[in-house]
Amino acid sequence: VGMSLATTILVAQHYGAKEYDSVEKIVSNSFLLSLMIGGFFTITGLLSSDFLLGLMDTPPENYAMASSYLKINLAGFVLLYLDFLIHSILRGIGNTVVPLIFTCIGMGMNAIIDPFFIGGFGPFPSNGLNGAAYATLMSEATLVVVSILYLNKKNRMVAFNPKKLILDKRITVLLFTIGLPSVAQQALVSISTMFITAFVNAFGSAATNAFGAVGRIDMFVFLPAMSMGMAASALTGQNLGAGKPERIRDIFKWGIIMTSSMTIFISLFVVLLSKPILAMFGLGNDANVIDIGRTYLHVVGPCYVFFSIMFLSNGIINGAGHTIITMVFTFVSIWLIRVPFSWLLSKTHLGITGIWVAVSMSFIITMMVSLGYYLSGRWKKSPNVQPTGTPV
């Protein structure tokens, strides 16, 4: 995901600058990098999967099943890289509808063939849990082939051409310069979640169950904001490449209006209907779990809008190529606010509610820092492309 963001930004900038030869070079370079990186992690994963399962203390009775399932999934890892990449290329040229269609096709195909591969209906043998992995692998392979055919038919500048898969030193450096901070940013979030989960686990299984449920609600609420952030990145890159940074003010204004409206509506929904929503996760019979989950939604829910605004301003900053800046914002939010204050406040009379307060604080502070940088205008000078659209 981090590396594909870099492709979206560079493609958008040079597409906006009408430097179509540069777009073609970036696309070909990205395809080769995805094949190399995806292939490396596929091989590394297959060789180390059993060792990793051992480190995770996988129960002996589940070990064989987990090992085979994991290896089948890892075998398709390079396909996952290519799928993310193709979506990022299309977003970079302003096409978000086709990636949605491809995703729906992949999910639909997976849902249809899953029962056949798992249960062994008709000519299909029964594969049990592995059948789900085989179905996913087949769906991913089919989707990647269809996506590549679409790219090749659409335009030569976004086509997959094996003869042009040559690494360009400058483009490769740019892709890693933009992509690696995004990779690090997501890693920081994932690692911090482990810490927060550990703090929550200290309050017992009821807290753990409630935190798992509200985490899934969070992801649903964040989807509109994340989508608007990706759209803002692509549009910012295109307009900076075209030498028209003044348009980004309207992108920001309308982005704020749309993402705030959607998030506020969803927030009100989850706060006012927190009990029945949590009951949907099978928690209706445990009053303690419901109470903990409701407290989380009542404390964090009103702050969802701050998080959504941050996603939009970060999207604009990322679209200008300043991904290292947003990585710093994430570090400040998580490792200077969320994690230490979660631990500290959970030791006070607030108890587990102190963790929810710390999460809300991190949302507010990250939004303020991100908005401050956006309003400063320092992001307008892209490190990757000049306002006149100088090609890479």
Side-chain angles (χ1 to χ4, degrees):
V1 175
M3 293 305 295
S4 67
L5 174 64
T7 299
T8 296
I9 292 169
L10 286 181
V11 167
Q13 289 183 347
H14 292 278
Y15 184 77
K18 298 184 179 180
E19 296 288 348
Y20 301 132
D21 288 340
S22 293
V23 172
E24 187 176 2
K25 290 179 183 178
I26 293 165
V27 168
S28 296
N29 205 90
S30 297
F31 267 119
L32 183 54
L33 275 179
S34 288
L35 288 169
M36 293 171 63
I37 297 172
F40 170 78
F41 280 112
T42 297
I43 296 170
T44 304
L46 289 171
L47 294 176
S48 62
S49 57
D50 288 338
F51 171 71
L52 294 172
L53 287 172
L55 285 181
M56 295 171 65
D57 291 327
T58 304
E61 63 272 19
N62 294 341
Y63 195 93
M65 186 183 298
S67 177
S68 58
Y69 179 84
L70 179 59
K71 287 174 181 175
I72 296 168
N73 274 289
L74 287 169
F77 206 63
V78 68
L79 297 172
L80 194 64
Y81 263 77
L82 291 173
D83 186 42
F84 273 114
L85 174 64
I86 292 168
H87 285 204
S88 72
I89 292 169
L90 290 171
R91 282 197 300 269
I93 62 173
N95 188 337
T96 58
V97 175
V98 171
L100 173 62
I101 294 172
F102 286 161
T103 300
C104 291
I105 291 172
M107 292 176 64
M109 181 179 177
N110 206 340
I112 292 170
I113 66 177
D114 253 342
F116 293 93
F117 279 85
I118 295 171
F121 299 111
F124 295 90
S126 176
N127 294 288
L129 180 65
N130 286 343
Y134 284 126
T136 300
L137 187 62
M138 179 172 286
S139 299
E140 286 179 352
T142 303
L143 198 57
V144 167
V145 171
V146 171
S147 301
I148 288 175
L149 290 174
Y150 173 83
L151 290 182
N152 288 358
K153 183 178 180 180
K154 182 175 176 61
N155 197 307
R156 71 170 180 85
M157 70 175 173
V158 294
F160 174 77
N161 188 342
K163 295 181 180 179
K164 295 185 177 181
L165 299 183
I166 301 172
L167 284 181
D168 180 286
K169 182 179 178 181
R170 175 170 165 74
I171 295 174
T172 302
V173 170
L174 279 173
L175 286 169
F176 277 103
T177 301
I178 298 171
L180 287 180
S182 180
V183 174
Q185 185 175 350
Q186 293 175 67
L188 288 171
V189 173
S190 298
I191 295 170
S192 72
T193 301
M194 295 171 60
F195 278 88
I196 301 300
T197 302
F199 300 154
V200 170
N201 288 347
F203 290 90
S205 60
T208 302
N209 293 336
F211 189 58
V214 295
R216 279 175 277 179
I217 294 172
D218 281 350
M219 289 306 299
F220 175 76
V221 177
F222 295 158
L223 278 175
M226 294 168 67
S227 300
M228 293 297 294
M230 288 189 290
S233 293
L235 289 171
T236 298
Q238 289 179 4
N239 282 286
L240 284 178
K244 297 180 179 180
E246 67 278 1
R247 291 179 177 177
I248 299 170
R249 181 180 298 175
D250 286 333
I251 295 171
F252 178 76
K253 180 181 75 174
W254 288 106
I256 289 289
I257 292 172
M258 287 188 286
T259 191
S260 297
S261 300
M262 288 186 287
T263 306
I264 289 172
F265 174 78
I266 298 173
S267 298
L268 286 172
F269 183 78
V270 299
V271 170
L272 297 177
L273 300 175
S274 56
K275 188 172 182 178
I277 290 174
L278 288 166
M280 291 171 59
F281 292 93
L283 307 177
N285 296 326
D286 193 327
N288 193 21
V289 175
I290 291 290
D291 286 342
I292 294 172
R294 290 185 70 187
T295 302
Y296 175 93
L297 293 175
H298 290 166
V299 174
V300 178
C303 297
Y304 284 145
V305 65
F306 302 124
F307 195 75
S308 68
I309 293 172
M310 178 275 294
F311 254 112
L312 185 76
S313 55
N314 273 7
I316 291 174
I317 297 165
N318 283 334
H322 298 288
T323 51
I324 195 167
I325 298 296
T326 56
M327 182 194 72
V328 172
F329 295 164
T330 299
F331 177 84
V332 171
S333 169
I334 290 174
W335 295 101
L336 298 185
I337 306 296
R338 187 180 304 179
V339 172
F341 277 93
S342 290
W343 176 82
L344 185 64
L345 294 178
S346 68
K347 303 296 183 182
T348 67
H349 69 281
L350 291 172
I352 194 171
T353 304
I355 300 177
W356 312 154
V357 171
V359 171
S360 299
M361 287 170 55
S362 68
F363 287 174
I364 297 170
I365 291 173
T366 310
M367 181 203 69
M368 292 172 62
V369 174
S370 181
L371 275 181
Y373 189 84
Y374 166 78
L375 294 173
S376 74
R378 296 176 65 185
W379 52 270
K380 292 181 181 179
K381 187 176 181 181
S382 171
N384 313 312
V385 66
Q386 298 302 315
T388 54
T390 304
V392 292

